[in-house]
Amino acid sequence: MTSRTDQNFSQPGGNLLRAKRRMEKLNHQRLRLLPRALLLGVLSGLMAVAFAKAMEAGDTLRLALLDSASRFDRWGVALSVAFSVATISLAVWLVRFFAPAAAGSGIPHLKGVLLGYRSMVWYRVLWVKFVGGVIGVTGGLTLGREGPTVQMGGALGQMLGSRSHSDTLEQRSLIAAGAGAGLSAIFNAPLAGVVFVLEELQGNFTSLVFFAALIASMTADVLSRGLMGQHPVFHVTVTAIPDLTSLPLFLALGILAGVLGVLFNRALLATQRLGDTQNPRLLASKWISWGVIIGLTGWWMPEICGGGQPLVERILSGREYIDLWTLALLFGLRFLLTMGSYGTGAAGGIFAPLLVLGALLGLGIGELGREWFPLVAPEPLTVAVAGMAAYFTAIVRAPLTGIVLIVEMTGNYSLILPLFTACFSAYVIAEWWPDVPIYEALLERDLEKDLA
């Protein structure tokens, strides 16, 4: 009886000892990660700023070239086409022959690395993603810089983890933290960077990942703001907080965004399947034909090509009225250009393109609301902001990231309730369909190639 009593008393003591050891181990891991997370934030911030500046310079070069070519009439069209064909072919060639893992957004590959399905040669991904991404957008591909920045941040995390002989958990924590730091720096949105890591990339909440992601994201954001300014990425002035009576409009926006988000995912996967070929001649013809399409489109409508940030800024500035037919045309063209651009296999993401589409969608719904329900409809620009978050949610299926990202990007914290309404209705519609989130679908498709 005495031994049983001693055992009963010793069990709580053993649990306490195990709890203390666990906390000591966790604290030790945090102390080991702290300097590397700080350094990772600095490196990711510098990389994001350099990449953003290079992309802006490439876009400026393309527009300047088109402006100069416009003086030569028909020869100007040929120059535009030749420039797009050469740059797009070079961008895709770099990815295909030096770092296939750098193709597209890079976020599905990064998810595969964190789940243990894929490996990453960090130095190849880093330089090919940077150079190939800049060349592709300079050529006019409608791809974004955000996905590549996330993957390059993850590559920097792997670099630090491998060089410091970290264990597997610490290496994956640094990869995830680098990804969050990249997103934080490119958008000036540190909370969105952390939430994106936990909600989308990691898929679960662990103390070590949260700690590393928070430190790296905050450091990268501070550095990015110091080098590029503290203004939000997109400046929108909301003169009045949307009334509760306007929430049905945001609900309708979310439902439509959910339907069109499913269409986006399925169209993107279809273009990927159509582009599957190992025949060098077919590959070359695909690159050349898409270069011709981009060159012609860029000649007639220069602003519609490229990453799309100037187009979003133009939409959200409120300085000009864009009628519904023009909005529908812009949405359709950007949709098709994004499908084809991503299908080339060049280094570039869909983050920015889908935000452009969301802004166009939201502005269209806002204009309809003002026309049909003028007494309760909010400002169309407010609905455009909600459209970005809702369309992101429908495609990526990460509602919290969408809400936090748009709030931080625009600096408008008064839009929380409309954003929740639009995002979660979009999420429910896309899940009910049912439809696989785009990054998971792209990862599954990549893994299926191994079985073929």
Side-chain angles (χ1 to χ4, degrees):
M1 183 172 181
T2 304
S3 62
R4 184 179 298 176
T5 304
D6 291 340
Q7 185 179 3
N8 291 338
F9 277 106
S10 65
Q11 187 175 356
N15 290 338
L16 179 61
L17 182 61
R18 282 191 293 273
K20 285 184 175 181
R21 287 177 178 173
R22 178 179 174 277
M23 290 304 300
E24 288 173 358
K25 180 182 179 181
L26 183 59
N27 288 335
H28 177 67
Q29 287 176 319
R30 285 174 176 171
L31 288 174
R32 279 172 49 84
L33 276 178
L34 179 59
R36 284 175 290 170
L38 287 169
L39 178 58
L40 179 58
V42 171
L43 294 176
S44 297
L46 290 173
M47 174 272 298
V49 170
F51 191 57
K53 292 292 187 182
M55 295 278 270
E56 289 173 5
D59 221 16
T60 302
L61 173 63
R62 178 179 62 84
L63 293 174
L65 180 70
L66 290 173
D67 183 59
S68 299
S70 64
R71 305 169 190 170
F72 300 101
D73 297 327
R74 69 182 65 179
W75 291 108
V77 178
L79 181 61
S80 173
V81 169
F83 178 74
S84 292
V85 168
T87 49
I88 291 171
S89 298
L90 177 58
V92 182
W93 179 81
L94 281 174
V95 170
R96 186 166 185 85
F97 291 99
F98 288 96
S105 164
I107 293 176
H109 173 256
L110 203 59
K111 284 173 68 74
V113 171
L114 291 171
L115 293 170
Y117 302 149
R118 284 282 181 263
S119 59
M120 178 165 57
V121 184
W122 65 266
Y123 53 88
R124 286 197 176 189
V125 167
L126 199 57
W127 81 263
V128 171
K129 200 76 173 184
F130 193 105
V131 176
V134 172
I135 293 174
V137 169
T138 301
L141 288 176
T142 54
L143 298 174
R145 64 194 184 195
E146 293 76 18
T149 307
V150 170
Q151 189 183 27
M152 288 190 288
L156 290 171
Q158 188 188 54
M159 177 192 74
L160 291 180
S162 60
R163 295 201 169 189
S164 58
H165 305 291
S166 303
D167 59 27
T168 302
L169 177 60
E170 290 182 355
Q171 283 198 26
R172 290 183 180 174
S173 297
L174 287 169
I175 292 172
L183 185 67
S184 170
I186 205 72
F187 278 129
N188 278 355
L191 289 179
V194 176
V195 174
F196 182 73
V197 168
L198 300 178
E199 185 179 30
E200 174 59 27
L201 285 182
Q202 195 68 18
N204 56 57
F205 184 92
T206 63
S207 177
L208 206 60
V209 171
F210 175 77
F211 175 79
L214 181 63
I215 296 297
S217 295
M218 291 297 295
T219 306
D221 182 60
V222 169
L223 183 62
S224 176
R225 288 172 185 264
L227 295 174
M228 299 183 69
Q230 299 195 52
H231 301 291
V233 174
F234 301 124
H235 180 69
V236 184
T237 302
V238 178
T239 57
I241 300 175
D243 194 82
L244 290 177
T245 55
S246 68
L247 289 183
L249 185 66
F250 290 99
L251 179 64
L253 168 65
I255 293 171
L256 183 58
V259 174
L260 294 177
V262 172
L263 176 63
F264 182 98
N265 289 357
R266 297 190 177 181
L268 195 71
L269 292 172
T271 56
Q272 295 285 291
R273 287 191 292 269
L274 288 173
D276 281 343
T277 179
Q278 298 299 322
N279 188 311
R281 291 184 179 179
L282 290 177
L283 283 172
S285 64
K286 181 176 72 170
W287 304 343
I288 292 171
S289 61
W290 193 248
V292 171
I293 292 171
I294 290 291
L296 291 174
T297 306
W299 173 257
W300 296 111
M301 302 179 70
E303 286 188 359
I304 204 171
C305 296
Q309 184 162 332
L311 183 58
V312 174
E313 291 174 351
R314 175 184 163 192
I315 293 169
L316 299 182
S317 67
R319 291 191 296 267
E320 60 180 293
Y321 171 75
I322 307 176
D323 63 81
L324 289 172
W325 288 111
T326 302
L327 287 173
L329 176 63
L330 289 173
F331 185 94
L333 287 175
R334 284 288 304 191
F335 188 98
L336 294 175
L337 290 173
T338 301
M339 297 299 117
S341 296
Y342 199 86
T344 62
I350 57 173
F351 232 114
L354 66 87
L355 291 180
V356 175
L357 292 172
L360 290 168
L361 175 64
L363 188 59
I365 296 296
E367 293 292 350
L368 283 175
R370 185 166 63 176
E371 183 178 331
W372 292 348
F373 311 104
L375 297 179
V376 298
E379 297 176 85
L381 291 180
T382 304
V383 190
V385 171
M388 289 193 290
Y391 206 53
F392 172 86
T393 298
I395 293 168
V396 180
R397 224 63 49 78
L400 293 180
T401 301
I403 292 168
V404 175
L405 178 65
I406 299 303
V407 166
E408 286 191 293
M409 282 171 57
T410 61
N412 284 299
Y413 296 88
S414 60
L415 301 178
I416 288 291
L417 187 56
L419 287 175
F420 263 98
T421 304
C423 287
F424 280 97
S425 56
Y427 181 86
V428 169
I429 291 297
E431 285 288 292
W432 170 80
W433 204 271
D435 179 67
V436 180
I438 190 59
Y439 293 135
E440 291 183 18
L442 290 171
L443 176 58
E444 288 175 5
R445 179 182 174 278
D446 186 48
L447 294 174
E448 286 173 359
K449 289 182 179 180
D450 297 342
L451 303 176

